[in-house]
Every structure is written in structure tokens, then in C-alpha cells.
Amino acid sequence: MAVPEKEKKTIWMAYLLYFLGGGVGLHHFYLGRDFNAFLWGSTFGYFGLGLVLDLFRLPKLVADANEEEFPMLLLEVEKKHCKKPVFNFERFFYQLCTGTLCDLLFCQCMPIEWKESMYYYAVVHGMVSSLAAAFGVWIA
């Protein structure tokens, strides 16, 4: 039995899904980026900022989704040999948004009594909230 070729993603379909359901990440589901689609739907496109960015970077996302496996294998080999990743504004933006989201989520889970005391500001918000933001950066 022959293995079917990977279906090529089209730019017009990606833009159609972007305009119909970009806030919930339909275009990311179409491109096979399920984790990004989940984050997109959870935050309505990173609070609207990601919607503006995706308007311009959607052609690159479609090209990445249509790439063959060989460039991805080269990227994996390069990641093993290069210890420090190259700075990427897009990745930095996602890390910033995810870290902030985890920090805000953590702060909302604190009991109201802790928020009214000085202990909250000195210890909990100063140290533990920073750990929550770091965790958000780590998962991005």
C-alpha cells in the first residue's frame, strides 16, 4: 500500500481561517501547530497582539508547514551541536507573553488574605511569582 504524500497547505486557506477564527487559532490548527493553537485560543491570539503579527508572518508559517522532513532533520542536528539558541524576536515575544500569562494566572490563584498582607508582596509575589513567570518562559 502506498503512503500518501503530505497534503500541501495553501496560503489562501490559511488566511481564510485566520479571518474566520484567528482569535481561537484555527489557522494554527490547519498548519499543524496544535500547541500554538491551544495557546492562541486560551489568550485570544496573545491578547490581540499575536493577531497583528500573524497577519504578516502567515506566509512563512505556511512555507514552514510545507517543508520536507530533511530541513527539519538538519535543524535537529544543528540544535545538538549549538548550545545557545540564536536570538529570535518571535520566540522572545512568545516567551514574554507566556511568562506574563503564567504570572497573572498564579497571582489570581492566591488567597485574598495573602494579597492584603505585607508577606504576600515581600515573599510570594517577589519570589514565587517570578518562578511562575520563569515556568511560563520554559514551556514556551
Side-chain angles (χ1 to χ4, degrees), residues 111-121:
I112 194 73
E113 297 84 27
W114 287 18
K115 292 179 183 179
E116 294 171 352
S117 70
M118 292 301 285
Y119 175 78
Y120 170 77
Y121 288 107

Side-chain angles (χ1 to χ4, degrees), residues 41-62:
S42 302
T43 61
F44 193 73
Y46 289 120
F47 310 107
L49 295 173
L51 287 172
V52 176
L53 287 176
D54 263 9
L55 185 63
F56 300 106
R57 70 183 195 117
L58 206 51
K60 182 184 180 318
L61 293 177
V62 171

Side-chain angles (χ1 to χ4, degrees), residues 10 14-15 17-18 29 46-47 54 56 65 71 75 80 82 97 99 104-105 117 139:
T10 59
Y15 271 116
L17 291 171
Y18 170 82
F29 277 120
Y46 289 120
F47 310 107
D54 263 9
F56 300 106
L75 182 63
K80 287 181 182 177
C82 184
C97 290
L104 291 173
L105 196 65
S117 70
I139 64 171

